[in-house]
Amino acid sequence: MHTAQLAQPDNPPLSVFISGSISIRQPLSTLVMDRLAGIVERSMPILIGDAPGVDAAVQSYLARQRYNHVTIFCGGGLPRHNIGGWPVRTVRADAPARTRAWHMAKDREMARLADTGFVIWDGSSRGSFANIERLCRRGCYVLIYLDREQRFVSLECDAVREVFLASHRPG
């Protein structure tokens, strides 16, 4: 993560909302796993959803690390994936169950609560882009892994956020 995201000795570690595209399945790239290892090393609390794809792949990685600082967010009842048996936070939505609007409620809540974001994006998922946008609107630092290009983009100031959002909006 960015040096500004490192916890100070007297401050609790910053929380990170990890999200990404359903189209990205296991195995995660080595570059992504290295970044996740840094989050684990700093004991950053992780907020993550219960979807297949990136959510499940990251959960598998965290479970293998026996990492405990994870909260799973789901739309109702039991989460679709909770590989590490972590605490679950259910977010109610005013939308029909299992619709895009229903799932977006939990994403909005994680983006509202997180201090930073790490998005593993296929470059076309509108849900992942919406999470990037939500975090940017709050002025959060966001690290994006562009899976197709196998590179990171760091959104650490308003000017960079604005350029990224304008140039990467899914069609």
Side-chain angles (χ1 to χ4, degrees):
M1 288 270 156
H2 187 262
T3 54
Q5 283 13 90
L6 297 177
Q8 300 300 316
D10 296 335
N11 296 330
L14 300 175
S15 62
V16 59
F17 171 21
I18 300 177
S19 70
S21 306
I22 290 175
S23 67
I24 300 171
R25 308 282 177 163
Q26 295 184 45
L28 295 169
S29 83
T30 303
L31 295 170
V32 168
M33 289 191 291
D34 288 347
R35 293 297 176 123
L36 291 171
I39 291 168
V40 167
E41 183 178 302
R42 288 190 289 281
S43 299
M44 296 175 77
I46 294 173
L47 314 178
I48 191 166
D50 66 337
V54 166
D55 289 356
V58 170
Q59 284 188 31
S60 291
Y61 171 85
L62 296 170
R64 284 192 307 273
Q65 304 306 310
R66 300 189 195 302
Y67 191 64
N68 293 320
H69 305 292
V70 178
T71 302
I72 304 296
F73 284 68
C74 71
L78 296 174
R80 295 170 287 179
H81 294 93
N82 185 356
I83 296 166
W86 297 290
V88 174
R89 182 160 176 181
T90 301
V91 178
R92 302 282 177 223
D94 294 329
R98 294 176 214 10
T99 61
R100 176 174 285 218
W102 187 73
H103 288 296
M104 283 175 38
K106 68 176 169 42
D107 290 343
R108 280 192 303 272
E109 183 67 1
M110 287 184 283
R112 184 184 73 79
L113 294 172
D115 298 308
T116 64
F118 181 19
V119 181
I120 303 156
W121 191 35
D122 64 7
S124 61
S125 164
R126 291 178 185 194
S128 297
F129 185 81
N131 291 336
I132 294 166
E133 210 167 28
R134 287 181 192 104
L135 290 161
C136 286
R137 276 196 304 261
R138 291 190 47 236
C140 294
Y141 170 82
V142 184
L143 179 66
I144 303 162
Y145 180 72
L146 296 171
D147 189 64
R148 289 185 186 145
E149 300 171 26
Q150 298 183 356
R151 70 180 179 95
F152 288 98
V153 174
S154 175
L155 307 182
E156 54 192 76
C157 69
D158 289 339
V160 173
R161 289 183 195 104
E162 289 172 20
V163 168
F164 180 87
L165 293 172
S167 64
H168 286 80
R169 187 168 302 283

